[in-house]
Amino acid sequence: MIDVNLFAKVQIKYQLSIVNYQLFCTFAQNLNIMKKAICLLTIVVLLMACGQKQPSKDRQEGVFANYQNVPGDSTIYGLACDGSTDSILILLPFSGADPDTFDIIRARQEHQLFGRPHIGDELAVILNPEDKQEVLMLINIERLKGKWCYQVTPTFRNIDKMPERIQRRIMERIPDSARQKMMAPREYSIQLKRGNTAQSIGGRRQSSTDEMSPVEYPPIKRYTGWKLYNGKLILVTDSVLLPNGKKGKPDQDTADILQLHRDTLVLRFKDHEQGYYRKTEEKQN
């Protein structure tokens, strides 16, 4: 016969072993969850620690190692940093130096702040030689880049060499509709690109029809490069081919920036002022 007491003891041990196994599995699962939580917490702490560390000077010098001012250019170039306001600029110079704080109140009051700086914008800054913490001029290079357009109107060929009386007679004999058609403006543009390259668009080549026309449009300069130099905009043309077959020295035009807004640019050249507008598709940049 089966011993009832022995059978009961075996059954109790079996049930206890099942309970112990379930407890062990639960503990193991909780332990695994705890390990994962500890790993995630460690990763978060490390990321926070890395984020709070300021970039070392060696690292900054490595990023801007290839940057160098043009000889004679006293402009400070760099990036706008977080914390800049309408009166204070925090700039990370391309020279590799630590970020510095500058006062831009005077530049704003004297209308020498061309383009409001935003975080990460490339800037050109002219400092007061008597106060190195005061900005006299600020140019937002990111705002300056882009495609700037302007319109030109034609003039009558050789009409300026005629007496005014003859000029008036010629103009009076031309119907208004024909005059409007002949004097229709054309759009020229200058595109200032990254890498200090430029492109002039417009001023199509003259055809036989254009040569027969009583009007002519002004020529356009073919700019191929641009740069800033002590707060002035330098536009560089392509090299001219000389009669001996060699390329001459590239020509350049120097302009003062009078206005720079999101959609408007005004430059003052040696002999005239020129206003530009940004095309509709460019306004979002």
Side-chain angles (χ1 to χ4, degrees), residues 103-116:
D103 183 351
I104 59 174
I105 295 178
R106 180 176 176 181
R108 182 179 296 278
Q109 291 176 342
E110 297 181 356
H111 307 288
Q112 294 298 299
L113 199 153
F114 302 108
R116 182 178 180 181

Side-chain angles (χ1 to χ4, degrees), residues 157 182 208-216:
R157 297 179 186 270
M182 286 190 301
S208 58
T209 305
D210 292 332
E211 292 177 356
M212 295 174 60
S213 173
V215 300
E216 59 182 351

Side-chain angles (χ1 to χ4, degrees), residues 21-38:
Y21 176 75
Q22 292 176 345
L23 290 174
F24 175 77
C25 292
T26 303
F27 174 76
Q29 291 178 354
N30 292 336
L31 182 62
N32 190 31
I33 294 174
M34 290 176 64
K35 286 181 179 180
K36 291 181 179 179
I38 293 173

Side-chain angles (χ1 to χ4, degrees), residues 155-225:
T155 57
F156 283 92
R157 297 179 186 270
N158 301 323
I159 194 173
D160 56 336
K161 299 179 182 179
M162 300 178 184
E164 292 186 3
R165 177 173 55 85
I166 303 299
Q167 293 182 27
R168 287 196 300 270
R169 286 184 180 179
I170 292 176
M171 297 299 295
E172 290 173 356
R173 291 178 180 178
I174 300 176
D176 292 340
S177 57
R179 186 186 310 166
Q180 291 178 358
K181 186 175 181 180
M182 286 190 301
M183 303 301 290
R186 287 182 182 175
E187 184 180 79
Y188 290 179
S189 64
I190 303 174
Q191 189 168 6
L192 305 180
K193 303 180 181 180
R194 296 185 182 277
N196 295 107
T197 60
Q199 181 182 7
S200 297
I201 304 172
R204 65 188 184 187
R205 294 182 179 179
Q206 286 191 348
S207 62
S208 58
T209 305
D210 292 332
E211 292 177 356
M212 295 174 60
S213 173
V215 300
E216 59 182 351
Y217 288 85
I220 183 173
K221 278 200 171 182
R222 298 294 174 182
Y223 295 116
T224 58

Side-chain angles (χ1 to χ4, degrees), residues 64-241:
F64 307 126
N66 297 327
Y67 178 81
Q68 189 175 4
N69 267 41
V70 177
D73 187 10
S74 60
T75 310
I76 297 178
Y77 299 93
L79 301 177
C81 297
D82 187 18
S84 300
T85 65
D86 290 340
S87 59
I88 296 297
L89 170 68
I90 300 178
L91 185 74
L92 175 63
F94 288 161
S95 62
D98 294 331
D100 205 349
T101 303
F102 301 97
D103 183 351
I104 59 174
I105 295 178
R106 180 176 176 181
R108 182 179 296 278
Q109 291 176 342
E110 297 181 356
H111 307 288
Q112 294 298 299
L113 199 153
F114 302 108
R116 182 178 180 181
H118 297 85
I119 299 175
D121 283 352
E122 184 179 354
L123 307 177
V125 174
I126 305 292
L127 299 181
N128 185 347
E130 299 179 356
D131 184 0
K132 296 298 184 180
Q133 299 306 121
E134 183 181 46
V135 174
L136 297 181
M137 179 187 293
L138 185 151
I139 302 173
N140 190 326
I141 299 177
E142 293 297 328
R143 183 67 57 84
L144 183 61
K145 295 173 186 175
K147 186 176 181 180
W148 296 101
C149 304
Y150 62 103
Q151 292 191 343
V152 296
T153 55
T155 57
F156 283 92
R157 297 179 186 270
N158 301 323
I159 194 173
D160 56 336
K161 299 179 182 179
M162 300 178 184
E164 292 186 3
R165 177 173 55 85
I166 303 299
Q167 293 182 27
R168 287 196 300 270
R169 286 184 180 179
I170 292 176
M171 297 299 295
E172 290 173 356
R173 291 178 180 178
I174 300 176
D176 292 340
S177 57
R179 186 186 310 166
Q180 291 178 358
K181 186 175 181 180
M182 286 190 301
M183 303 301 290
R186 287 182 182 175
E187 184 180 79
Y188 290 179
S189 64
I190 303 174
Q191 189 168 6
L192 305 180
K193 303 180 181 180
R194 296 185 182 277
N196 295 107
T197 60
Q199 181 182 7
S200 297
I201 304 172
R204 65 188 184 187
R205 294 182 179 179
Q206 286 191 348
S207 62
S208 58
T209 305
D210 292 332
E211 292 177 356
M212 295 174 60
S213 173
V215 300
E216 59 182 351
Y217 288 85
I220 183 173
K221 278 200 171 182
R222 298 294 174 182
Y223 295 116
T224 58
W226 69 278
K227 62 183 178 181
L228 291 175
Y229 186 84
N230 289 326
K232 297 181 181 295
L233 177 62
I234 309 296
L235 298 171
V236 183
T237 61
D238 199 1
S239 301
V240 179
L241 189 63

